[in-house]
Amino acid sequence: MLYVSTRGHADRKRFCEILLEGLAPDGGLYLPEHYPRIDAATLTRWRVVYETAGYADLAFEVLSLYIDDIPADDLRVMCRKTYTAAVFGTPEIVPLKKLEAGLYLQALSNGPTLAFKDMAMQLLGNLFEYELGRRSEQLNILGATSGDTGSAAEYAMRGKKGVRVFMTSPNGRMSPFQQAQMFSLLDENIHNIAVDGVFDDCQDMVKAVSNDLAFKRQYKIGTVNSINWARLLAQVVYYFAGYFQASRGADAGGGRVSFSVPSGNFGNVCAGHVARMMGLPIDQLVGATNEHDVLDEFFRTGVYRVRAGADTHETSSPSMDISKASNFERFVFDLLGRDGQQVKDLFERQLGAQGFFDLSALPAFKTARAQYGFVSGRSTHADRLQTIRDTFGRFGVIIDTHTADGLKVAREYLSAGTPMVVLETALPIKFAATIEEALGRPPERPPGFEGMEALPRKVTVMAADASLIKAYIAQHAAA
Ligand SMILES: *Cc1c(COP(=O)(O)O)cnc(C)c1O
């Protein structure tokens, strides 16, 4: 399998080559040159694999269609090492919880940091260690986080050979739980840097370092952000596992299943798109946004309009507070019949010049809903509180704020006879303040997380100045 860039001007590469790379050299995102199609017999076989051998072996089946430069035995070992009940809490790894007939939550948040990003990041940690070992190379991961990404990356990379993590976050602005989670990691290869500033200041520092090509090369700087194809690929697997569970109940309907996905950078729902392109019988793919409704606006109107930084404020589902949806370009590439030149024109020239592009007149946009199953909706703070209260009142289940956005929008698209699976992207304890606001009581703390705030911490506070982080990296990195 070879990978192409969405902007059409980069060499085709194999999986392990793009694994450690971020953007393609032409500024595009990598995608496989085609999506392998799964026939009915294979789907049946994979169902048996999931139900008998388990999630790790299902992951191997999916991944091996896209990865042909890692020996199959090694890949299987990595999958089995990654997706264990010990790490993800249950033998099913991603169990469904039934709320009512035809409406489910899919638990993706029982990994080490209690958010769905563990699903992909834990695999990425093992892939990185494997590939770096094979090449005898080192990698220094530099990132900026407002919460979930940074902690998932650190828990995935802790103790991994050849990898160091330098993670910047806005000092004092993450939830107390998130701060405790990250800063209590004392591993030698993990570096927490609390920047005096906001998230954008952290991102600017990371960008400044990445733009210094000589520094970047000397210190082998890499990233783990959501445009990494390996992360997206790992996420494809749980759509299959969710489908197998939802399509066997009494309310299974005609064999199709819909998914509602709390969305920010479009990584998670793009994995659903890939699963659907492979032939998984997904009916609707519901993109649920919060107040940052870039995606909802596109699916409603055909206009993709990037927001200004000043319009990107913090909401009570903060992991979806985005000004642009980084992975959206992948879907546009497919929508435009994989015309890289046209994608380049939209994302480079039109977005650059006017801050938006408009596909509403395009025949492909008009048929996008029928062709790709995409629908969308938007949720606000008031919706979130209402959905959390309603779900607790009716089912005794406490959901987190992002999952509440997904459930609120899912209810707008319920269709009798087709199960709807809402992806649970975090556990409520991560966003306890809003749960208390909604229910007047704090969420439960899962076992193993008691007293975390009192643990010793390792964090360096730093002014928002790129030269300071460069000096810090130079001091702590292996060149
Ligand atoms: C990252 C994240 C999202 C958004 O996922 P995307 O892949 O960026 O669309 C939603 N919910 C939670 C809890 C997250 O951490």
Side-chain angles (χ1 to χ4, degrees):
M1 176 67 79
L2 291 172
Y3 289 85
V4 297
S5 163
T6 51
R7 298 199 187 168
H9 290 78
D11 293 339
R12 280 153 205 256
K13 290 187 176 161
R14 298 177 78 186
F15 178 83
C16 288
E17 294 176 278
I18 66 167
L19 173 66
L20 301 168
E21 234 181 275
L23 289 175
D26 63 356
L29 281 64
Y30 286 110
L31 272 179
E33 59 180 351
H34 69 272
Y35 299 114
R37 290 286 298 184
I38 303 306
D39 59 17
T42 306
L43 198 62
T44 303
R45 186 170 66 78
W46 284 8
R47 178 189 289 275
V48 174
V49 168
Y50 178 53
E51 288 173 0
T52 58
Y55 188 92
D57 284 36
L58 174 65
F60 169 76
E61 295 289 340
V62 177
L63 265 50
S64 60
L65 297 180
Y66 292 91
I67 304 175
D68 53 16
D69 49 350
I70 294 176
D73 287 345
D74 293 358
L75 187 60
R76 194 187 285 277
V77 166
M78 266 188 279
C79 290
R80 288 184 176 169
K81 187 168 142 190
T82 303
Y83 297 110
T84 66
V87 173
F88 287 97
T90 64
E92 299 91 344
I93 307 295
V94 290
L96 290 196
K97 285 185 256 187
K98 184 169 183 167
L99 292 181
E100 60 191 44
L103 182 61
Y104 300 87
L105 294 177
Q106 185 174 5
L108 304 180
S109 309
N110 296 325
T113 74
L114 310 181
F116 87 99
K117 290 187 173 69
D118 291 329
M119 293 300 307
M121 212 68 94
Q122 288 285 319
L123 180 74
L124 200 67
N126 286 324
L127 284 168
F128 273 18
E129 186 175 51
Y130 176 87
E131 184 58 18
L132 289 168
R134 200 158 69 159
R135 299 180 184 190
S136 305
E137 281 180 15
Q138 302 272 326
L139 186 69
N140 294 306
I141 294 169
L142 174 63
T145 189
S146 54
D148 291 344
T149 306
S151 52
E154 292 188 352
Y155 280 77
M157 303 298 165
R158 64 189 297 200
K160 292 277 185 292
K161 286 189 281 297
V163 188
R164 252 164 242 87
V165 179
F166 298 87
M167 191 57 64
T168 61
S169 59
N171 193 11
R173 286 175 189 263
M174 291 189 297
S175 77
F177 186 90
Q178 287 176 316
Q179 293 184 38
Q181 222 177 9
M182 281 180 63
F183 300 165
S184 62
L185 285 182
L186 304 178
D187 303 71
E188 200 209 325
N189 69 330
I190 302 297
H191 300 271
N192 289 304
I193 296 149
V195 173
D196 283 324
V198 294
F199 176 63
D200 280 341
D201 297 314
C202 301
Q203 269 192 318
D204 288 346
M205 284 166 82
V206 170
K207 255 182 236 161
V209 174
S210 303
N211 289 340
D212 182 343
L213 294 180
F215 185 90
K216 195 177 165 193
R217 201 168 313 118
Q218 183 182 358
Y219 290 102
K220 310 264 189 303
I221 304 291
T223 60
V224 288
N225 54 29
S226 83
I227 53 133
N228 185 299
W229 165 255
R231 278 184 63 182
L232 208 138
L233 178 58
Q235 294 174 352
V236 172
V237 180
Y238 54 68
Y239 284 88
F240 281 89
Y243 170 82
F244 293 141
Q245 294 175 80
S247 62
R248 66 192 320 241
D251 49 6
R256 288 166 81 81
V257 171
S258 293
F259 286 88
S260 178
V261 189
S263 293
N265 273 317
F266 203 75
N268 200 353
V269 75
C270 193
H273 164 69
V274 172
R276 199 175 186 277
M277 296 299 279
M278 292 172 72
L280 186 67
I282 295 177
D283 185 29
Q284 301 180 92
L285 269 175
V286 185
T289 74
N290 65 11
E291 290 87 338
H292 299 87
D293 55 356
V294 182
L295 291 168
D296 181 44
E297 180 177 48
F298 174 77
F299 285 110
R300 275 186 299 106
T301 66
V303 175
Y304 179 68
R305 185 169 56 88
V306 170
R307 308 296 197 256
D311 294 334
T312 316
H313 48 272
E314 189 178 333
T315 71
S316 48
S317 46
S319 299
M320 289 155 50
D321 295 347
I322 48 105
S323 54
K324 63 184 177 72
S326 320
N327 276 288
F328 180 60
E329 186 170 330
R330 289 192 157 110
F331 173 65
V332 173
F333 183 63
D334 286 340
L335 186 69
L336 297 178
R338 304 203 132 203
D339 180 344
Q341 187 56 43
Q342 212 182 335
V343 172
K344 186 176 159 73
D345 181 66
L346 291 175
F347 281 86
E348 254 175 54
R349 197 181 59 78
Q350 296 201 34
L351 270 191
Q354 58 191 29
F356 73 92
F357 59 73
D358 182 356
L359 302 185
S360 62
L362 213 72
F365 175 74
K366 292 178 184 155
T367 56
R369 183 175 182 149
Q371 185 83 24
Y372 299 100
F374 271 109
V375 293
S376 69
R378 171 182 197 271
S379 167
T380 64
H381 181 68
D383 294 323
R384 239 163 266 144
L385 295 179
Q386 157 65 20
T387 306
I388 291 167
R389 269 187 217 118
D390 176 68
T391 307
F392 184 60
R394 281 205 272 166
F395 314 115
V397 173
I398 303 185
I399 54 174
D400 103 289
T401 52
H402 307 76
T403 309
D405 292 331
L407 180 54
K408 186 263 177 182
V409 179
R411 288 195 179 280
E412 296 163 15
Y413 290 101
L414 293 180
S415 140
T418 308
M420 171 72 78
V421 176
V422 179
L423 300 188
E424 180 179 57
T425 55
L427 291 196
I429 186 70
K430 295 196 91 168
F431 305 97
T434 307
I435 305 301
E436 279 213 65
E437 187 184 344
L439 302 178
R441 53 161 282 187
E444 267 155 37
R445 193 172 276 245
F449 289 85
E450 305 88 356
M452 200 173 56
E453 284 84 345
L455 294 174
R457 295 186 174 197
K458 180 176 139 185
V459 56
T460 303
V461 179
M462 194 178 279
D465 177 344
S467 67
L468 294 177
I469 185 121
K470 280 188 194 170
Y472 185 93
I473 293 172
Q475 195 189 339
H476 293 94

